[in-house]
Amino acid sequence: MSIRSWVIKQLQKEFHSSHSSIQSIGENGVRVTRLGRPDATGYCVEPDGSPFTAPMLDEAIAELPEVGMVIVTRRVVDADVYSRALELGVCVETFGGFSRAVTFLDDISSYMHPEEEYFRRRISRTRIVSSVSRRGHRAWELQRINGLRPLTVVTHDRYELTDEGFAGVLDQYPGIDIDALVITNPSAQGFGKRVVTSAREANIPLYKLDDFIGKIRERWT
C-alpha cells in the first residue's frame, strides 16, 4: 500500500460522518473537499531510507501547485526543507498535523502544532531570543542577542523520555548538531539514569523547559 492510499484510508475513517469528500489527485496528492471551507490539498511523501530534500520539495510543489501541506511519514527531512517551505508558503508536517489542519483551519498551510505554539510563546517571553526558525520536525534554531551564539534544540512533548526514545529522537536529526534536548511537557518530573548516561555520552544536555529557559541567557560551550 502506498502512503497516499494509507492517508486516504485514515481520512475516510476520521471524516466518514462529515460532509467532506476525499479523493486522490495526481500521482501523490490527496484533496479533501469541505463544506463551507476551501479544499485542502496535501502531498504525500513516500517513506524512504534517504532524506527528503529541498529540491524534492520544489518538485512536489511543481507537481501539485495547489498543495497546502506536504505530509511526511517515517522519513528523515533535511533541515533546509523547512526554510524552503516557508518561502514557498506551504507547511511540512505529519499525517496528524494534516488531519488537525483539515478539521480546524481554512488555510491548512498556516498550521502550527500545539507544541510549537507553546514553545514559541514561552521562548518569546525570555527577550533574549530574537527569532526561532524551524530546522526539523521538532528542531529549532534560536537566534540570541547580546553576542550569544545561536542554539539548536530539539523539543519532545512526552511526559517521560526513555532511553529508546532518546535514541529515536537523535535518529530523526542526523545532520543537525544539537545543543540540547528540551522536554516541553509541563508534567515531566525528570530523567532516568539510563537516559542521562546516554545523553552524556552523546554530549547533548537534557532539560525541562523551565530549566532550559533559566539557562538561555548563559554562554553555551
Side-chain angles (χ1 to χ4, degrees):
M1 177 185 294
S2 69
I3 197 65
R4 181 176 65 177
S5 297
W6 179 85
V7 165
I8 290 175
K9 184 177 181 180
Q10 297 305 309
L11 290 171
Q12 288 170 339
K13 289 179 182 178
E14 294 188 17
F15 298 102
H16 70 279
S17 61
S18 70
H19 296 288
S20 301
S21 65
I22 301 154
Q23 64 186 91
S24 59
I25 176 173
E27 293 186 9
N28 299 284
V30 56
R31 175 181 291 158
V32 182
T33 302
R34 304 174 292 174
L35 184 64
R37 281 181 168 166
D39 293 350
T41 303
Y43 181 97
C44 304
V45 176
E46 285 292 327
D48 195 281
S50 62
F52 183 70
T53 66
M56 291 176 181
L57 176 64
D58 288 339
E59 292 173 4
I61 304 306
E63 177 186 327
L64 200 62
E66 66 268 43
V67 69
M69 183 179 291
V70 175
I71 307 165
V72 183
T73 304
R74 300 194 306 276
R75 187 163 180 176
V76 170
V77 179
D78 275 356
D80 57 356
V81 166
Y82 295 95
S83 57
R84 182 59 178 154
L86 188 62
E87 294 172 359
L88 295 171
V90 298
C91 182
V92 178
E93 258 295 344
T94 62
F95 169 75
F98 183 72
S99 176
R100 286 188 291 270
V102 167
T103 301
F104 298 112
L105 299 177
D106 286 351
D107 178 8
I108 66 170
S109 69
S110 65
Y111 174 79
M112 185 179 292
H113 190 277
E115 183 191 8
E116 179 177 355
E117 292 180 341
Y118 176 66
F119 181 69
R120 285 181 178 274
R121 185 170 63 250
R122 291 292 308 276
I123 290 297
S124 68
R125 294 174 183 168
T126 67
R127 301 179 182 272
I128 199 72
V129 175
S130 58
S131 67
V132 179
S133 302
R134 194 175 179 196
R135 299 286 290 161
H137 179 57
R138 294 291 176 266
W140 320 98
E141 182 179 282
L142 312 181
Q143 294 289 337
R144 300 186 295 169
I145 63 174
N146 297 341
L148 297 172
R149 75 167 178 85
L151 297 178
T152 299
V153 304
V154 170
T155 57
H156 188 73
D157 65 354
R158 299 293 177 86
Y159 170 78
E160 182 179 7
L161 179 64
T162 65
D163 193 49
E164 181 180 0
F166 175 73
V169 168
L170 298 190
D171 288 344
Q172 292 184 57
Y173 311 104
I176 298 178
D177 293 327
I178 302 172
D179 290 302
L181 192 153
V182 180
I183 302 298
T184 57
N185 190 317
S187 299
Q189 298 299 309
F191 305 98
K193 291 182 179 179
R194 289 182 60 186
V195 174
V196 170
T197 299
S198 295
R200 187 181 299 115
E201 291 174 351
N203 197 30
I204 298 175
L206 304 174
Y207 294 101
K208 293 184 292 182
L209 182 56
D210 286 344
D211 296 333
F212 175 71
I213 287 175
K215 292 183 67 67
I216 204 169
R217 290 177 172 80
E218 299 178 9
R219 295 194 177 276
W220 217 269
T221 59

